[in-house]
Amino acid sequence: MKKILLFQKWAKPILVMLIGVIPIIVLSGCSTASQSNSINADSAGVFNHFFIYPFSILIKFFANAFHGNYGLSIVLMTFIIRLAIMPLMMNQTKKQMDMKEKMAVLQPELTALKEKYKNDVSADAKKQQQVEMMQLYQKHQFNPLNMGCLPMLLQWPITLAFYYAIRRTPEIAADDFLWFSLGKTDMILPLIAAAVYYVQFRVSQSVSAQYQQNQNNQMAFIGLLSPIMMGVFSFQMPAALPLYWAVGGIFIIVQTIILNKMYTKPNVASKNLPTGVEDL
């Protein structure tokens, strides 16, 4: 029983960190190889043929529609992809809101249970407290392990394919957008991408279940680690990639706020929001 509770405590922060950080590490490690391997119709591999190459074709199509502006093409494609993924995110947000509502009902009983055993530090008392806590979870049909991370996993092939399409479409590297060259590193855009990632993390916590409040230290660490790693790796990559990440992050921020308002019921609308998020 104790192992189950320990897993409940650490599983969410660890999984969030893996989902947020590992793709950055993997992509940065593969960046050099990808840059020298342009994608085309003859590229071998199922992922190349059915995912990366179609995205590359679409990037070129929209760029031609914008008179050769690959920056605008990347921005538009990012929004199209995020709109396609939105149904998954809507389902995830709805599940998180349901968990928040259940936790709002469950919390008084958990507090009473904690008070009941606060002066008894014996091993038997701790074991009994854990048993009664699990019984409360069952009573309210509350599953702490239902973290709603499946949509994040399902969108990985799409976002990875678009990433590699940007990396392996040589026409992008020769284009300029706003103040930077898409094919060269930029000193400002990585800072923007890192800042967007941090705001995205903070906003996403507004739809997290209340039981995560006991994990503030771990989540705060993850909230700083991911943007820092994003910024560091972005300084080593062509500006087209932090542009993609920044635009995608801004979309997710707006999406999260909208979905939060859609699925939050009035009686829990103002509860359990992290400090500083309520005014966003």
Side-chain angles (χ1 to χ4, degrees):
M1 190 70 68
K2 184 177 181 180
K3 292 181 179 179
I4 294 175
L5 294 176
L6 286 175
F7 179 77
Q8 293 171 1
K9 177 181 179 181
W10 289 100
K12 176 70 173 184
I14 291 174
L15 186 55
V16 171
M17 183 169 64
L18 292 177
I19 290 173
V21 174
I22 285 182
I24 301 174
I25 298 175
V26 172
L27 296 180
S28 65
C30 298
S31 61
T32 302
S34 300
Q35 188 175 15
S36 59
N37 186 17
S38 298
I39 189 70
N40 55 61
D42 298 324
S43 297
V46 174
F47 194 67
N48 283 329
H49 188 74
F50 291 102
F51 288 89
I52 300 177
Y53 182 63
F55 275 132
S56 179
I57 293 297
L58 286 174
I59 290 173
K60 294 177 183 179
F61 172 79
F62 287 117
N64 291 332
F66 291 127
H67 306 288
N69 192 323
Y70 280 89
L72 283 179
S73 177
I74 291 173
V75 171
L76 178 61
M77 281 290 296
T78 302
F79 274 92
I80 292 174
I81 290 171
R82 288 296 168 184
L83 284 173
I85 295 174
M86 184 177 287
L88 294 175
M89 306 311 297
M90 293 175 68
N91 181 60
Q92 178 186 12
T93 302
K94 188 177 185 301
K95 288 183 178 179
Q96 289 177 332
M97 288 302 178
D98 290 340
M99 290 184 68
K100 179 186 288 187
E101 293 175 22
K102 291 181 180 179
M103 194 60 189
V105 176
L106 179 61
Q107 187 59 46
E109 296 184 52
L110 289 177
T111 302
L113 181 62
K114 184 177 179 181
E115 287 292 320
K116 176 182 177 181
Y117 289 99
K118 71 175 181 179
N119 296 323
D120 192 341
V121 296
S122 65
D124 290 339
K126 290 182 179 180
K127 183 178 180 180
Q128 182 61 30
Q129 182 180 0
Q130 293 167 3
V131 170
E132 293 184 25
M133 183 181 298
M134 297 303 294
Q135 290 174 345
L136 285 177
Y137 285 166
Q138 293 175 359
K139 172 185 173 183
H140 293 278
Q141 297 181 338
F142 179 80
N143 182 8
L145 304 182
N146 185 16
M147 296 175 287
C149 293
L150 181 59
M152 299 183 193
L153 299 176
L154 292 177
Q155 66 179 291
W156 265 4
I158 298 174
T159 55
L160 286 176
F162 188 53
Y163 165 88
Y164 282 116
I166 294 174
R167 289 293 296 164
R168 298 171 62 182
T169 303
E171 292 85 350
I172 294 176
D175 194 28
D176 295 332
F177 183 64
L178 298 178
W179 70 87
F180 51 87
S181 171
L182 293 173
K184 299 179 180 179
T185 58
D186 182 71
M187 296 294 103
I188 299 176
L189 201 55
L191 299 177
I192 296 175
V196 168
Y197 246 56
Y198 177 74
V199 174
Q200 175 188 328
F201 175 85
R202 291 292 299 152
V203 172
S204 68
Q205 296 311 293
S206 67
V207 296
S208 297
Q210 181 180 355
Y211 71 91
Q212 288 182 358
Q213 291 183 354
N214 295 326
Q215 303 169 354
N216 283 339
N217 292 335
Q218 300 98 310
M219 300 305 289
F221 171 75
I222 296 171
L224 291 175
L225 178 62
S226 296
I228 290 173
M229 295 187 69
M230 168 63 69
V232 170
F233 289 128
S234 293
F235 277 115
Q236 307 171 22
M237 295 183 178
L241 295 170
L243 171 65
Y244 158 51
W245 286 325
V247 173
I250 292 172
F251 184 95
I252 293 175
I253 290 170
V254 176
Q255 170 188 269
T256 302
I257 294 174
I258 293 175
L259 295 183
N260 192 16
K261 292 182 180 297
M262 284 176 57
Y263 291 113
T264 300
K265 295 182 180 180
N267 61 329
V268 293
S270 61
K271 294 181 181 179
N272 309 326
L273 298 182
T275 304
V277 175
E278 296 89 337
D279 297 328
L280 288 174

